[in-house]
Structures are given as C-alpha cells and as structure tokens.
Amino acid sequence: MNSLNTNNGNERRAHRPANEGKKQKTRPLDPWVTRMRAQWVEENITESVKAPNSLLGAVIGPGGSIVKELQNCFKVRVLVPRKGAGDEPILIEGKHKNQVRDAALRVKQLIQNEEERRRVNTPVSRSLSIPKAYHSKIIGFQGQNIRHLTSSLKIHIMVPHKYDKSELITLTGLPQQVDQGVNEVYDLMKKLFLKR
C-alpha cells in the first residue's frame, strides 16, 4: 500500500512543472520612484553632436572647465566620449528643449572654431611651376626679392638649385601668408613679362 502511494505521488510530480504554484514575489516600487522615473523618461531630451575625437578637447576645456560652464549655463548634462572611443557623438541631455538645443549649437560652434583655428595655424606648402629662366629674376639681385618675401610674410621659399632641372618653387608657411606670397610671386612674374 505504501509503495502504491509513493508511485502516485511521483507520477503527479513528473507532470507538474517545477515553477508551477510558486509565484515570483516582486517588491512594488514606491509611488514617488515611479513618478520620478516616468518624469525623467518623459521630460529628458537628448541631442547628439558628432565631432572628430581629436577636437573633443575644445569642448572639454582645461580641467573640464568648458563642459562645466556649458552645464551650468544651459542647465544640461554634457557627455563627452572618452579619448580613443572612436566616432561616438557628444550627448547633451536636459529637461528643456530650448536649453538642450542652445547647448548643442554652442558645442557645434566650439568645434567649428577649433577646426578653423587649426586650419589657420597649420603650416601648408604650395608649389608653383615657373620656367627655369625666371628663377634668378624671382630670387633678385643677391636674393633681395626672396629675402623681402620671407621676412615680410614669415614664409619659407624653396627655389631649386640652378643645376636642378625642376621648375617648382615651393612656398611653406601659414595658409594666409602662403596665399599672399603666391600672389606676390605672380605679380613679380607679370612685371617681368611686361619688361620684355
């Protein structure tokens, strides 16, 4: 009789899932937590700004000063990706759409200013193809034309040696000064052509 009861009990257990009858008890969240969570989800606005990783320093500032200033001024959170994070965007989060938008515009402006600053302050080289016969005229008597250009514009001008077959004269310096140097070399060429 005992063995029969044991089999019936085992059969019942085999058909019943292990979790059946056991309800998972979850502790309900306090109403204020639910309200806060809902409010954050509803009211938090996020905008992203893409920037090359090399320009993030312009948004962070020395010791994080620019990020702090942005956060205080616009009442937003500015999340800047870590160095070497790849192409992750800068995230601006806040509760007011206008403040988030204004902060994003300011971040874009900071990045554009830094790009322009680097472009203007990065030396460039430009090569001009000028017939070899005019090289000595561009150099001037005892190098006076070249000296005038290099000292006044703070650029370096490379003229090939007289035995070198190259016709390329290379000007190196900051973009604005190099452009001005190119114009002056062309003006000098025009004067030489007019004298002929």
Side-chain angles (χ1 to χ4, degrees):
M1 194 83 176
N2 282 345
S3 63
L4 188 62
N5 284 343
T6 309
N7 282 342
N8 288 342
N10 284 340
E11 285 174 14
R12 274 190 237 137
R13 278 191 203 121
H15 294 297
R16 188 183 305 160
N19 302 17
E20 191 180 79
K22 291 183 183 178
K23 291 185 179 177
Q24 290 182 347
K25 292 183 180 178
T26 56
R27 191 172 145 219
L29 292 172
D30 290 334
W32 68 270
V33 174
T34 309
R35 277 196 310 277
M36 289 289 287
R37 190 183 278 178
Q39 187 178 13
W40 178 257
V41 170
E42 286 172 18
E43 293 182 9
N44 201 35
I45 296 152
T46 305
E47 196 164 324
S48 63
V49 177
K50 288 190 176 182
N53 209 265
S54 60
L55 297 176
L56 295 179
V59 178
I60 296 168
S65 60
I66 294 176
V67 166
K68 289 173 190 170
E69 184 185 320
L70 286 168
Q71 292 180 147
N72 291 336
C73 181
F74 296 103
K75 306 292 185 251
V76 294
R77 274 181 70 198
V78 180
L79 305 167
V80 181
R82 290 176 186 238
K83 199 172 186 179
D87 291 337
E88 289 183 32
I90 298 167
L91 297 176
I92 296 119
E93 296 178 346
K95 296 189 180 205
H96 302 288
K97 187 177 181 179
N98 291 342
Q99 288 176 325
V100 171
R101 186 195 65 228
D102 292 346
L105 288 172
R106 179 71 180 124
V107 167
K108 287 176 187 173
Q109 185 183 22
L110 288 168
I111 292 163
Q112 286 172 350
N113 291 348
E114 181 62 15
E115 282 177 334
E116 181 62 18
R117 187 191 69 76
R118 288 187 186 184
R119 187 191 69 75
V120 168
N121 293 321
T122 302
V124 295
S125 290
R126 285 192 55 194
S127 295
L128 308 174
S129 182
I130 294 174
K132 194 81 177 159
Y134 293 98
H135 285 199
S136 61
K137 303 281 186 190
I138 289 169
I139 292 170
F141 179 69
Q142 295 182 342
Q144 66 184 12
N145 293 344
I146 290 282
R147 267 201 311 276
H148 168 71
L149 288 174
T150 55
S151 63
S152 64
L153 298 175
K154 308 259 188 302
I155 59 174
H156 178 73
I157 300 174
M158 180 71 189
V159 179
H161 193 273
K162 63 180 177 179
Y163 299 115
D164 189 347
K165 291 182 181 178
S166 174
E167 294 188 338
L168 294 178
I169 294 178
T170 306
L171 292 81
T172 306
L174 296 178
Q176 193 172 356
Q177 278 79 7
V178 167
D179 289 343
Q180 195 174 341
V182 168
N183 291 336
E184 290 199 26
V185 168
Y186 281 138
D187 287 345
L188 190 58
M189 286 293 296
K190 284 177 193 171
K191 288 175 189 172
L192 293 172
F193 276 118
L194 290 173
K195 282 182 181 178
R196 288 181 66 194

